[in-house]
Amino acid sequence: MNRSHYWFNHHLLAVLVGLAFLVGLAAPAAAQSRAPRKKLIATGWDKPDTARLRENLAQMEQRPFDGVILEAVGTRDDGKSCFLRSTFSAQAWEQRWFNKSVEDLKACRFTRFTDNFVTVGANPGNVDWFDDEGWKNVVEHWRIAAWIAKEGGLKGLHFDPEPYTPPHAQFNYLAQPQKAQHTFAEYQAKARERGREVMRAVIGEYPDLTIFTYFMLVINSNALGHANPNAVLETSGYGLLPAFVDGWLDVIPPAVKLVDGCENAYRYNSTTQFLEAAVRIKGDCQQLISPENRAKYRAQVQAGFGIYLDAYWNPPTSQWYIDGLGEPRVLRLRKNVATALRVADEYVWMYGEKFRWWSTPNPRVNKETWPEALPGSEDALRFARDPADYGRARIATLEKEGKLANLARNADFASEQAASNQGVQVDWKQGGAPAGWSSWQLETSKGVFSWDRETGHSGKGSARAAGVGNGCFIQSYDVKPGECYAIRAMRRIQGKGNTRIRVRWQTAQGRWTLEELDKTLTTEGPANEWSEIFGVVEVPEGAGKLVVLLGMAGQSTQEDVVWFDDVGVYRVD
């Protein structure tokens, strides 16, 4: 890759993140909030309908997902099924056909599945954009879908633009029946008009929904960088999709989110690929939107990513194959999902075909579950989705099995003797840090580090720091790249000051390295009570030592005191 191009794209991504931050600063105080928690959404050939979701919810919520993409199936007056995903059809529907779907959703008591989406599709796609009567029905189908999502307590709609009913292709200009009578520009104008009509109907039912797509404008990446993108879009399979989305942007209120799910990510196997895609979605794809809508696009379009599970199971001869790059392929799955979640604004979706996460009547899906077919896959997703949650579960399992080993030395601060960072047994010295621990503070800080034998979370003692402006207790451990460790400690604060655990890295020879990969762990527990600080880290390439710093800052007098106790450093991979 050209290095200047690489730098530019990454610089652009940083600029975009900075712009988003500034937008947040400018927002009213009531609108400010934390960044959305990253979420993993399940979809694929075992996709449930509302009835199966209701029936199997307890089992499904045991899997490592934050929500599902689901089908809604209505019942026509003649008893035949009406599939909501057949949205782009000219047939008239009745909202009441889907009453049972709404009843199913209202009966669900979601605990883990916070972000669920009902599917609308671009099929059969046989409605010409200039067919006013046909489009009245398409718009009504979208309205019904939004009604189902709102009444059913869903996060919003999932839109799949892919054509599955040839020869029809709703967003392909060359497939339109009146292309001989209307130019591409005329079809673009009409597609934008239809986008407005659809979005007005949707927000009339659900004014703050999320529309999550398998892909949006990123599918037209080949049109980017051209002086006239329309020259490429005119012959593209999804050339009318940008105009349709432009219509959405014409009318959406600020509370609506649009997610470009970037199905292109199915073959991604490096951090760079995810970063480059985020640059395209958040930055370059604005070229495909009219100038007046680009501010809305920047504010309301999110970058997401699709992960194709079969690619981690398929043989090397498959065109859909992810190489392990010298590691077990399930480890690549964990790393790629973790990267996707880190780079995405909010959503990453898992698509599987050959195997299942839960029961399904789909005959194309094998009987084996994904954890059976791809051992370790469920743990890989749990770790990537929420390392801390995974770490706590692993600690509980290892403890139950009698295999939990704590690398921290003198972890309960009860001993007068412990091994130093150099592995030498040393005695505690009056006026110093507890045995086995060293300490550090800024030169301008005049605090006191000591061993408190009287105060402790477990009643045996603790590490005590008083009047420290900025400092820490320190301990290091020999580790290897790829290993995962859970770090925890209890802390209590008296007076002023705050605490954190900082995890840093050294080479095997003890030289500081990879500072950009330091991790800071905090707690929101009450200051004057013992509260747990907890987190999970993965040892990066190039590191040979993991260094734990029990840190404190902001103390000004000897009456300002921090205590640490019951430190844990556990390998959990």
Side-chain angles (χ1 to χ4, degrees):
M1 176 184 294
N2 180 279
R3 291 181 61 83
S4 61
H5 175 67
Y6 177 85
W7 177 90
F8 173 79
N9 280 345
H10 286 72
H11 179 67
L12 176 58
L13 182 59
V15 170
L16 289 169
V17 172
L19 287 173
F21 176 70
L22 291 174
V23 168
L25 290 180
Q32 293 183 13
S33 63
R34 297 180 180 180
R37 180 176 60 84
K38 305 300 180 70
K39 304 174 185 77
L40 203 57
I41 308 299
T43 183
W45 286 1
D46 59 351
K47 181 192 304 180
D49 60 20
T50 59
R52 292 203 308 279
L53 179 68
R54 177 181 184 176
E55 180 181 353
N56 300 299
L57 181 61
Q59 169 208 355
M60 293 171 68
E61 287 198 316
Q62 295 176 22
R63 297 301 192 186
F65 301 106
D66 298 280
V68 292
I69 292 172
L70 56 96
E71 300 273 9
V73 183
T75 303
R76 301 175 187 271
D77 293 337
D78 60 7
K80 294 181 179 179
S81 295
C82 178
F83 294 92
L84 186 69
R85 66 173 180 264
S86 299
T87 318
F88 282 73
S89 68
Q91 295 177 338
W93 294 358
E94 295 290 339
Q95 179 175 291
R96 56 185 169 77
W97 293 352
F98 294 91
N99 284 344
K100 179 60 168 58
S101 295
V102 172
E103 290 174 11
D104 289 335
L105 294 172
K106 286 185 173 180
C108 291
R109 297 294 178 262
F110 297 112
T111 57
R112 188 184 186 100
F113 285 0
T114 57
D115 291 58
N116 303 297
F117 300 86
V118 66
T119 290
V120 292
N123 294 281
N126 56 0
V127 186
D128 186 82
W129 295 90
F130 286 87
D131 179 355
D132 291 336
E133 290 303 312
W135 267 92
K136 285 181 182 178
N137 289 325
V138 174
V139 169
E140 175 65 5
H141 301 165
W142 277 85
R143 188 200 64 78
I144 291 172
W147 169 77
I148 293 170
K150 180 65 173 179
E151 291 296 309
L154 305 181
K155 183 62 68 173
L157 303 181
H158 162 251
F159 178 43
D160 182 1
E162 187 168 348
Y164 299 108
T165 52
H168 307 297
Q170 192 73 62
F171 296 102
N172 185 348
Y173 169 66
L174 298 181
Q176 302 310 309
Q178 295 191 56
K179 63 180 182 296
Q181 289 77 41
H182 299 283
T183 65
F184 178 65
E186 289 171 335
Y187 262 101
Q188 280 184 306
K190 187 57 71 172
R192 185 172 177 177
E193 176 186 331
R194 302 308 187 191
R196 289 193 293 269
E197 293 172 356
V198 161
M199 186 55 68
R200 287 193 185 102
V202 165
I203 61 177
E205 294 288 341
Y206 198 159
D208 58 347
L209 89 167
T210 296
I211 298 182
F212 172 84
T213 69
Y214 279 155
F215 54 85
M216 207 163 66
L217 302 192
V218 73
I219 197 69
N220 285 305
S221 293
N222 62 336
L224 301 175
H226 292 269
N228 179 17
N230 288 345
V232 177
L233 294 176
E234 185 170 351
T235 57
S236 297
Y238 298 96
L240 292 172
L241 183 57
F244 188 61
V245 173
D246 216 9
W248 288 356
L249 292 167
D250 283 336
V251 297
I252 59 171
V256 171
K257 295 179 186 176
L258 306 178
V259 183
D260 192 325
C262 191
E263 187 174 316
N264 310 41
Y266 275 5
R267 292 191 181 93
Y268 289 0
N269 200 19
S270 72
T271 299
T272 299
Q273 288 173 299
F274 288 103
L275 287 170
E276 291 285 353
V279 168
R280 284 195 298 276
I281 293 170
K282 303 288 283 186
D284 298 343
C285 283
Q286 293 179 69
Q287 299 173 31
L288 307 180
I289 293 298
S290 55
E292 62 269 21
N293 280 332
R294 289 173 187 170
K296 275 188 180 181
Y297 182 94
R298 291 191 296 272
Q300 293 176 250
V301 172
Q302 295 185 342
F305 298 102
I307 303 291
Y308 185 39
L309 273 171
D310 295 65
Y312 296 86
W313 181 89
N314 289 338
T317 53
S318 171
Q319 64 171 325
W320 299 101
Y321 171 79
I322 297 291
D323 190 276
L325 303 180
E327 302 173 326
R329 292 169 71 194
V330 74
L331 182 55
R332 291 307 306 168
L333 172 64
R334 188 186 84 191
K335 291 183 176 181
N336 285 338
V337 174
T339 298
L341 285 164
R342 179 168 61 89
V343 177
D345 287 291
E346 189 170 0
Y347 294 105
V348 171
W349 50 284
M350 309 295 306
Y351 192 88
E353 294 180 343
K354 294 185 179 69
F355 306 101
R356 66 188 70 203
W357 288 106
W358 33 68
S359 62
T360 176
N362 190 339
R364 298 183 298 171
V365 181
N366 293 320
K367 293 182 179 180
E368 294 92 342
T369 65
W370 276 107
E372 292 169 338
L374 186 59
S377 57
E378 186 161 20
D379 279 346
L381 298 188
R382 290 188 188 280
F383 184 95
R385 172 189 172 271
D386 190 337
D389 184 60
Y390 170 84
R392 291 186 188 281
R394 282 292 293 156
I395 287 173
T397 299
L398 292 169
E399 193 168 29
K400 184 177 180 180
E401 296 174 349
K403 299 178 181 179
L404 185 63
N406 190 356
L407 274 64
R409 304 179 297 278
N410 194 15
D412 59 0
F413 302 100
S415 177
E416 294 189 6
Q417 187 181 72
S420 69
N421 288 335
Q422 291 72 39
V424 179
Q425 290 291 320
V426 295
D427 295 324
W428 171 71
K429 295 181 179 180
Q430 184 71 35
W437 293 83
S438 60
S439 61
W440 170 90
Q441 62 182 315
L442 285 174
E443 290 183 5
T444 55
S445 175
K446 306 301 179 182
V448 176
F449 296 98
S450 62
W451 176 27
D452 189 333
R453 300 189 189 212
E454 305 299 326
T455 303
H457 173 255
S458 56
K460 299 177 182 179
S462 61
R464 184 180 190 273
V468 177
N470 194 335
C472 57
F473 294 100
I474 308 171
Q475 204 170 88
S476 66
Y477 317 93
D478 293 333
V479 295
K480 295 180 180 178
E483 295 175 344
C484 299
Y485 291 88
I487 315 294
R488 71 178 177 189
M490 303 300 296
R491 75 94 175 98
R492 184 163 75 87
I493 300 174
Q494 171 186 290
K496 297 179 181 179
N498 56 68
T499 59
R500 74 277 185 189
I501 296 177
R502 186 177 179 183
V503 180
R504 302 195 65 192
W505 309 104
Q506 292 180 339
T507 64
Q509 294 74 35
R511 294 189 295 272
W512 293 108
T513 187
L514 303 168
E515 184 174 353
E516 69 277 9
L517 298 181
D518 287 0
K519 185 160 185 177
T520 300
L521 313 177
T522 61
T523 178
E524 296 183 0
N528 61 350
E529 297 179 11
W530 286 104
S531 301
E532 183 187 52
I533 303 176
F534 185 88
V536 174
V537 297
E538 181 176 356
V539 183
E541 289 296 329
K545 291 181 182 293
L546 181 157
V547 187
V548 170
L549 291 75
L550 307 179
M552 68 292 300
Q555 298 177 327
S556 56
T557 73
Q558 290 299 309
E559 300 303 314
D560 300 324
V561 183
V562 166
W563 292 270
F564 286 100
D565 197 6
D566 295 333
V567 179
V569 179
Y570 310 104
R571 185 173 173 183
V572 293
D573 57 303

